[in-house]
Amino acid sequence: MVSQMISCLSKSSSLFCISGSRSLIPPKTYNRGGLCRFPPGFASRRLSTVYRRKWRSACISNSGKETGGEGKLQGEWRILERWEVPWEWQTVSLTSLACGLSFVLTGLTEMVALPYLGIDVQKLSLDDKAEILFLDQGLTTLAVLAVIFTVAKTFEPLPEDILRYDLKQPFNLQKGWLVWSGIGLVGAVGAIALTGVALSLFRTETPEREVDSLMKLLPLIGSSNISTLSLVGITGVLAPLLEETVFRGFFMVSLTKWVPTPIAIIISSAAFALAHLTPGEFPQLFILGSVLGLSYAQTRNLITPMVIHGFWNSGVILLLTFLQVQGYDIKELLLQGN
């Protein structure tokens, strides 16, 4: 369903319309006896001119720029439209490097600070470990976002659709964050399920499951309400806020300065999948990143991919918590599912 919708949208966005503010030559008039008369056929030509103006103002050229250059058009399907990026490649490179360094340095600082504060992680309870993980994710998110918004502030005023978090108009068909979050979530579930089936058909042997972040969190899943709330806060709020701002809000948007939006979605999705350091899960993460990129390109609102990402992550945690409470060995289930 989603693939059909995307196909239809891409077809409807491929119309080529002439843009420009060329003025029309006024028709010749005749003044006889104090009355202003127009030449024959003027009314039909004038009506045709009005229609052409309306058509021209309602279309977007193939380059992704609006006709007339008067801001973003409202009510259009904008998946293929580019952003007006104010910075150059040097800014993109240095900001990406600064984000990576902030991520690493935050972790190293916490490793040094905990023993200094007299905290032995090995002796902590599961609830304490969950709370420290929540604090760790919160500090990392703040550090990385501080880098991005500090850089963005030097380019103010920014276009209104860059680094935008907007809860207004959730049910709008063209740009409603809630509508497209639902479409994206259903599309992600279906596409990833089909990808898993396809991979299982071509897989000759069962590989060992990689030690990813989910496997590391297994001891905390279902251990207590505090652990569950901490994990939902990490995976459903903080991680989506961080990753969507970095990979979609900054990196993908920046790429559209040099490549078409679909190519930017592909590149940012590959970077998103590689950043998780789990090569065996690259196809599923790439599909998820593509859905997140498409939903963001349509709504120009970071709330949309954040909601999809948050529901995806927290949904997995809550499902595993439910199975754990019911007495299932979730580690064995994950190993069998792989």
Side-chain angles (χ1 to χ4, degrees):
M1 179 64 182
V2 175
S3 61
Q4 294 175 354
M5 292 183 65
I6 294 173
S7 176
C8 293
L9 294 179
S10 62
K11 290 179 180 178
S12 65
S13 300
S14 63
L15 295 174
F16 181 81
C17 301
I18 300 175
S19 61
S21 56
R22 183 179 60 180
S23 60
L24 298 174
I25 301 175
K28 184 177 181 181
T29 59
Y30 303 89
N31 190 357
R32 295 179 181 177
L35 297 177
C36 184
R37 298 183 180 180
F38 298 96
F42 168 71
S44 60
R45 292 199 302 273
R46 183 62 179 171
L47 185 60
S48 175
T49 298
V50 172
Y51 284 148
R52 287 199 302 271
R53 279 182 171 177
K54 289 183 177 180
W55 172 251
R56 190 158 55 233
S57 65
C59 295
I60 300 174
S61 65
N62 283 342
S63 64
K65 303 297 182 182
E66 300 82 5
T67 58
E70 298 178 355
K72 298 294 179 184
L73 294 175
Q74 299 298 322
E76 296 290 342
W77 304 103
R78 300 182 294 178
I79 286 181
L80 300 181
E81 182 184 345
R82 297 189 187 188
W83 278 261
E84 296 178 3
V85 181
W87 44 73
E88 298 295 334
W89 68 268
Q90 296 92 336
T91 302
V92 179
S93 302
L94 292 176
T95 303
S96 300
L97 178 61
C99 288
L101 289 176
S102 299
F103 181 86
V104 174
L105 291 177
T106 302
L108 293 176
T109 302
E110 292 171 0
M111 290 177 60
V112 174
L114 288 178
Y116 179 79
L117 296 173
I119 300 175
D120 188 352
V121 178
Q122 301 299 328
K123 296 180 180 180
L124 293 176
S125 66
L126 291 178
D127 287 350
D128 291 336
K129 290 181 179 180
E131 292 171 352
I132 288 180
L133 283 176
F134 182 83
L135 178 62
D136 170 73
Q137 184 65 46
L139 292 175
T140 302
T141 301
L142 286 176
V144 175
L145 293 188
V147 171
I148 291 178
F149 282 97
T150 299
V151 172
K153 190 174 181 61
T154 63
F155 293 90
E156 289 184 345
L158 291 173
E160 62 178 9
D161 60 351
I162 291 183
L163 296 176
R164 171 172 165 255
Y165 309 85
D166 191 356
L167 291 173
K168 298 178 181 178
Q169 297 182 312
F171 300 105
N172 184 279
L173 181 59
Q174 284 79 25
K175 58 182 180 181
W177 60 268
L178 190 57
V179 171
W180 282 91
S181 294
I183 294 173
L185 189 59
V186 172
V189 172
I192 292 175
L194 291 176
T195 302
V197 172
L199 290 175
S200 64
L201 293 177
F202 293 100
R203 184 175 293 163
T204 56
E205 58 181 10
T206 303
E208 295 182 2
R209 182 175 178 89
E210 297 164 300
V211 183
D212 59 11
S213 56
L214 182 59
M215 295 294 287
K216 294 178 181 179
L217 294 176
L218 284 183
L220 302 176
I221 295 177
S223 61
S224 70
N225 291 334
I226 293 178
S227 295
T228 300
L229 290 175
S230 297
L231 292 180
V232 170
I234 294 170
T235 61
V237 179
L238 295 177
L241 172 61
L242 171 63
E243 295 178 7
E244 294 313 309
T245 301
V246 171
F247 289 103
R248 253 65 62 179
F250 178 75
F251 187 56
M252 188 185 96
V253 166
S254 298
L255 289 175
T256 62
K257 188 178 182 73
W258 301 280
V259 299
T261 300
I263 303 300
I265 292 174
I266 292 173
I267 296 174
S268 62
S269 299
F272 170 75
L274 290 172
H276 286 77
L277 302 177
T278 52
E281 298 177 2
F282 179 89
Q284 292 90 337
L285 290 171
F286 177 80
I287 294 297
L288 177 61
S290 299
V291 172
L292 294 170
L294 288 169
S295 66
Y296 176 50
Q298 174 57 38
T299 62
R300 306 301 168 108
N301 186 357
L302 282 168
I303 295 294
T304 308
M306 282 175 55
V307 170
I308 299 172
H309 198 158
F311 269 97
W312 180 271
N313 286 352
S314 58
V316 172
I317 295 297
L318 292 175
L319 176 60
L320 293 177
T321 299
F322 173 77
L323 294 175
Q324 177 81 353
V325 172
Q326 297 300 315
Y328 290 92
D329 186 347
I330 55 177
K331 183 176 182 179
E332 184 65 24
L333 290 175
L334 288 175
L335 291 175
Q336 291 177 357
N338 192 62

